[in-house]
Amino acid sequence: SEACRRPEPQDVAFCRDLIAETETRVAMGQALTKLPIRHFEVIKRRFYQNQTQVEVANALSISQARVSQIEAEAHSLLRDLL
């Protein structure tokens, strides 16, 4: 019957990919909570709110160059945490 059939290989691969993506998102969420607040705020605004570096700089009252520095520092910290 339909309920007892074996999954197709592409279905199994899809499920594995979905699980891996979910695990990655969970790990990233946990790593983001460990960032200094300023770094978290920059990453949140840049990659989750799609703001430009200039928009982030204006919102946080810092220079665009400082946003770039914080972003690079955050990436390095996230690499270490992941």
Side-chain angles (χ1 to χ4, degrees), residues 12-40:
V12 173
F14 172 78
C15 288
R16 284 188 187 134
D17 290 347
L18 192 58
I19 290 167
E21 183 179 319
T22 301
E23 289 171 345
T24 299
R25 286 177 183 259
V26 168
M28 179 60 81
Q30 291 171 340
L32 286 169
T33 66
K34 295 177 182 171
L35 290 177
I37 190 67
R38 180 64 62 130
H39 291 61
F40 172 80

Side-chain angles (χ1 to χ4, degrees), residues 1-6:
S1 82
E2 180 70 22
C4 295
R5 73 174 178 81
R6 289 181 153 241

Side-chain angles (χ1 to χ4, degrees), residues 3-81:
C4 295
R5 73 174 178 81
R6 289 181 153 241
E8 297 294 325
Q10 65 270 19
D11 295 333
V12 173
F14 172 78
C15 288
R16 284 188 187 134
D17 290 347
L18 192 58
I19 290 167
E21 183 179 319
T22 301
E23 289 171 345
T24 299
R25 286 177 183 259
V26 168
M28 179 60 81
Q30 291 171 340
L32 286 169
T33 66
K34 295 177 182 171
L35 290 177
I37 190 67
R38 180 64 62 130
H39 291 61
F40 172 80
E41 190 65 30
V42 167
I43 295 299
K44 179 184 78 171
R45 289 174 178 274
R46 288 282 289 131
F47 298 100
Y48 294 92
Q49 297 176 352
N50 296 313
Q51 293 181 0
T52 66
Q53 287 186 347
V54 171
E55 290 170 328
V56 174
N58 290 336
L60 301 180
S61 300
I62 58 177
S63 70
Q64 177 275 324
R66 185 63 187 133
V67 170
S68 182
Q69 292 169 345
I70 292 170
E71 195 175 314
E73 291 168 5
H75 286 161
S76 178
L77 291 168
L78 288 170
R79 270 193 302 276
D80 291 346
L81 291 167

